[in-house]
Amino acid sequence: MAKHQARNFRFKFLLAMLIGILIGGLCSFAFYHFEIVPRKQQEVEKIRQKYEAELVVQRAQAQRYKNAAKKDNSQETAYQKEVSTTEGKTFEQQLENKGFVGSALIIKNGQIILNKGFGYADANQGRKNGPQTLFQIGSIQKGLTAALLMKLVEQGKVKLSDPVGKYLSGIRTGNQVTLRMMLDMRSGFRLSTLQNQVLSDDGIVRWSIENMQYYPQEYSYQPVNFALLAGVIEKVSGKSYNELVQKEIINKIGLYNTGFMPGLLKEPNRAISYTGSGEKAVYTNPYTQSEVGYNRELGTGNIYATTGDLFKMLNGIDQGQVFKKSNLAKLRDRGDGQYTAGVYNYDTYTMSQGVVGAQAATTAIDNSGKNAVVLMSNNILQGMVLHNYAQPFLETIMKTN
């Protein structure tokens, strides 16, 4: 009897051990299959996406250099040879008198009357600013984001009257605010704080939504509107924002001196940013932009260009190289100098401004594209007042045509 009980005990004990091992194995398998594997897949996917994004940038940069090598890339031959005029010399003298630091491109009746640099791109190296110097364009990029959105409208994939909640979840007023209102900076959206870590495009969009504040739906210039529009563009198109800019704008217009941050840091012709003030201290306090500083500018300000490329870029959009010219009035439905779709709209011309990374850019281009002023500066204190030169210069040109 005792032996029989002992045998039963051993059998039950072994059975319990086998069941325990089986359950343990199943639990381990389930944990590995449903927790470890997905986590590893996510990590691999993140690495793949990061690699592919970097590859797109590298390919675009390599193609740009290749194209530039085949073609005389000086702005004198990119448009027309610079013509020396009294007016051009007057503008040059005015900029010099103001101590302007940067590069200037002025076009009248389709002819370049001023195309030169002022001051240093890199004072420490003695390298001066010139037509080929690269600057960040800042918020002027919002006009490119608007152009990509209009391309989707043209393709019938979105409507400007669509509520943003149709495409992005988690926005409290998402069913009330339309894409049109966001283009016009009339959404009421604001960020409660600045993004303080490097994120993916999707991460930037989600972070923005999670840190959003809601104000009355009236005009207020808030970059978050265009970061969210970039998210809409990516979701609808199924492609990255950078990829679309490269394909629909840089390639179509033929921009050989345009790229995305942080590519500028590798460019030999880049302008160093300065925050010094006063005639003798202009080049003191060189400024270095942090990685998160340009990462959070999705759709709003992480592109760089020369003055020539910036003109070609904006004029190319205006003249129908990205979407049909007949749809331009639909995108920019104002003519009173107010902001919409990345530019300030007047009856006969548009203005755009951008400030980022202690650099600034301002453009004033008439509707024909034959008269334009493009100013880009690598001294932030001077850059903040570029519009005081660009608008009067353009109006003078247009009056004397």
Side-chain angles (χ1 to χ4, degrees), residues 237-378:
S237 68
K239 297 178 180 178
S240 74
Y241 176 88
N242 287 18
E243 183 181 356
L244 287 170
V245 170
Q246 182 69 42
K247 177 185 176 183
E248 300 293 343
I249 297 177
I250 294 177
N251 292 349
K252 282 188 177 179
I253 297 176
L255 306 176
Y256 304 113
N257 294 287
T258 299
F260 285 91
M261 293 294 289
L264 179 63
L265 305 179
K266 299 178 182 178
E267 297 278 7
N269 291 334
R270 73 185 179 100
I272 303 298
S273 303
Y274 295 97
T275 61
S277 62
E279 185 177 346
K280 295 182 180 180
V282 170
Y283 303 105
T284 57
N285 304 325
Y287 177 87
T288 301
Q289 189 178 16
S290 66
E291 185 179 2
V292 70
Y294 52 77
N295 170 258
R296 64 187 174 214
E297 296 288 345
L298 171 66
T300 69
N302 60 1
I303 286 177
Y304 63 90
T306 59
T307 52
D309 261 25
L310 183 52
F311 167 72
K312 287 179 66 179
M313 179 192 302
L314 299 182
N315 192 49
I317 292 172
D318 290 354
Q319 303 308 318
Q321 291 183 257
V322 178
F323 58 85
K324 293 177 182 178
K325 189 175 180 180
S326 58
N327 285 326
L328 189 63
K330 181 178 180 181
L331 178 64
R332 304 174 188 166
D333 60 348
R334 307 184 72 92
D336 52 2
Q338 294 299 305
Y339 184 94
T340 185
V343 299
Y344 295 89
N345 299 267
Y346 296 84
D347 285 336
T348 56
Y349 66 93
T350 59
M351 287 193 65
S352 61
Q353 301 179 73
V355 178
V356 71
Q359 297 189 4
T362 294
T363 70
I365 304 173
D366 80 342
N367 295 344
S368 71
K370 294 180 178 179
N371 302 289
V373 178
V374 179
L375 303 175
M376 305 182 82
S377 178
N378 55 318

Side-chain angles (χ1 to χ4, degrees), residues 67-79 132 256-257:
N67 291 342
K70 291 180 179 179
K71 181 177 180 179
D72 181 356
N73 202 31
S74 72
Q75 277 141 21
E76 286 190 0
T77 56
Y79 312 111
Q132 296 301 309
Y256 304 113
N257 294 287

